[in-house]
Amino acid sequence: MIRTTLTQRLALLGASGALAAGGALLPSSAFAAPAAPQVVAAVQTAPDHQAHPIGNTTTTRTVTKTVKRTLFDGRVKVTTTKTVTKTTKNHHGNVVKKTVTKTVTVRILPAPDDD
């Protein structure tokens, strides 16, 4: 047999009494005539610890560099280097993840027509 303390019994009695009172009030208010509209004052509170962001923040930085060089036969070699850096920081400002992606594109264009 499990023994319950006096505080447990009182808490259970209070909770069941609150449920019974709420259940008795619900049907009587459901059929009541509509009352005049009530005016309620709006109160807005500031959230706690707004200075510290909650989640992680991600910053993306893209750098594109283009180099054109004329080859010995007159064609133009265009080299484009694109570097994308993604940095994720936690709410303390510490770097959690850093990703660097470098893409190099080389195109050779025909020699320009000098008429």
Side-chain angles (χ1 to χ4, degrees), residues 25-109:
L25 291 177
L26 181 64
S28 64
S29 65
F31 298 108
Q38 297 177 352
V39 178
V40 179
V43 177
Q44 185 176 6
T45 59
D48 293 338
H49 303 290
Q50 186 64 24
H52 301 289
I54 296 172
N56 295 341
T57 57
T58 302
T59 306
T60 303
R61 180 174 168 237
T62 304
V63 177
T64 304
K65 181 180 176 184
T66 303
V67 176
K68 294 181 182 180
R69 194 176 81 180
T70 304
L71 301 175
F72 64 91
D73 59 354
R75 296 181 299 166
V76 178
K77 180 179 180 180
V78 180
T79 305
T80 305
T81 306
K82 182 178 178 182
T83 305
V84 178
T85 305
K86 291 183 181 178
T87 306
T88 303
K89 295 183 179 182
N90 63 6
H91 65 280
H92 294 293
N94 300 332
V95 176
V96 177
K97 182 179 179 183
K98 185 173 184 178
T99 306
V100 178
T101 306
K102 189 173 185 178
T103 306
V104 178
T105 305
V106 177
R107 294 185 330 184
I108 297 180
L109 304 175

